[in-house]
Amino acid sequence: MDEGDVVLTPAPYYSGFDCDTGFRSKVNLVGVPTTCENGFRLTVEDLDAVESQLLAEGKSIGALLMTNPNNPVGYVLSEEEIRAFVDWTSSRGIHYISDEVYANCIHDRESEPRFRSVGELYSNEEMTSKMIHLVWGFSKDFGLSGQRVGVLFTGTASLLSAMSALLYFSGVSAQTQQTLSNMLNDESWTDMFLLESERYLAQSFAMI
């Protein structure tokens, strides 16, 4: 991607994305309009319409940014939707970014569609060839936003190189890495914590 390229994301979207994309990366975030009639879910037809408009304006699309589960609406993407969006991006040679920071903030795991990570649906080789990038962090699922620790899963060498350079001066401390490693390695505690979180989320959802 180059400075000035467009990153698409379904609107309404998390307002922090404006800062994330504009201030440092110098790309233009464009919200793809959605409607309440289908629960503000993005469709390939929505993408086609915005693509035609942007190309007519001489603008280049560099990526599609999806949050799954969605923020702020809260819906979960189906496997069919994910595959359709990846097919759309890969056929055009643009990046697919899956922000899964709310992956475990789900109050009913039995309802359809069930959450599927993009990392489950594609092999490492496919993730690389289709330019799929997965982002996750501890801030939402574990309430650890103050730790500022996240994960980028990608096979794109140029992106990894750029991230390595950026993180040289903002690496995660050894103490923090050890603490989080110990936490995740305690699988019984982690499972218990996430189940309790799901229970409280369900209670909050019922109240609303």
Side-chain angles (χ1 to χ4, degrees):
M1 291 179 60
D2 297 315
E3 183 175 332
D5 282 354
V6 169
V7 174
L8 299 176
T9 196
Y13 59 83
Y14 165 58
S15 60
F17 283 158
D18 289 310
C19 175
D20 295 339
T21 57
F23 288 178
R24 286 189 176 182
S25 304
K26 305 299 183 183
V27 295
N28 298 314
L29 186 70
V30 172
V32 182
T34 59
T35 65
C36 61
E37 283 75 19
N38 70 338
F40 299 102
R41 303 183 81 94
L42 183 70
T43 67
V44 170
E45 290 73 24
D46 295 329
L47 292 172
D48 288 338
V50 170
E51 178 188 36
S52 297
Q53 177 183 344
L54 291 171
L55 291 178
E57 297 172 359
K59 297 179 179 178
S60 175
I61 301 172
L64 172 62
L65 169 59
M66 299 295 297
T67 55
N68 185 34
N70 180 270
N71 177 22
V73 180
Y75 60 77
V76 173
L77 291 174
S78 68
E79 178 178 345
E80 292 73 19
E81 287 174 311
I82 295 172
R83 291 191 181 278
F85 296 146
V86 170
D87 286 345
W88 190 87
T89 57
S90 62
S91 67
R92 290 160 172 77
I94 64 178
H95 299 269
Y96 182 89
I97 305 169
S98 183
D99 180 350
E100 301 181 7
V101 72
Y102 287 98
N104 290 291
C105 295
I106 298 174
H107 62 84
D108 182 5
R109 295 188 179 277
E110 301 304 316
S111 63
E112 296 291 343
R114 298 188 182 186
F115 173 78
R116 299 292 302 277
S117 170
V118 71
E120 296 179 72
L121 302 179
Y122 296 92
S123 67
N124 291 351
E125 293 76 15
E126 289 174 317
M127 294 272 287
T128 300
S129 65
K130 295 178 182 293
M131 297 194 296
I132 301 170
H133 318 287
L134 190 160
V135 179
W136 179 81
F138 286 85
S139 59
K140 309 304 180 186
D141 289 343
F142 290 96
L144 294 173
S145 56
Q147 297 298 317
R148 318 306 294 173
V149 180
V151 175
L152 168 65
F153 185 83
T154 179
T156 302
S158 58
L159 177 56
L160 288 171
S161 178
M163 292 299 296
S164 295
L166 286 171
L167 295 175
Y168 183 82
F169 296 103
S170 58
V172 179
S173 70
Q175 295 90 335
T176 299
Q177 291 186 53
Q178 185 64 57
T179 299
L180 297 178
S181 177
N182 290 341
M183 182 183 76
L184 293 179
N185 283 327
D186 189 345
E187 295 184 10
S188 61
W189 182 90
T190 300
D191 291 342
M192 177 276 297
F193 179 88
L194 293 177
L195 284 173
E196 280 293 285
S197 176
E198 181 179 339
R199 184 171 68 85
Y200 282 119
L201 286 170
Q203 290 177 357
S204 298
F205 180 77
M207 292 175 61
I208 296 174

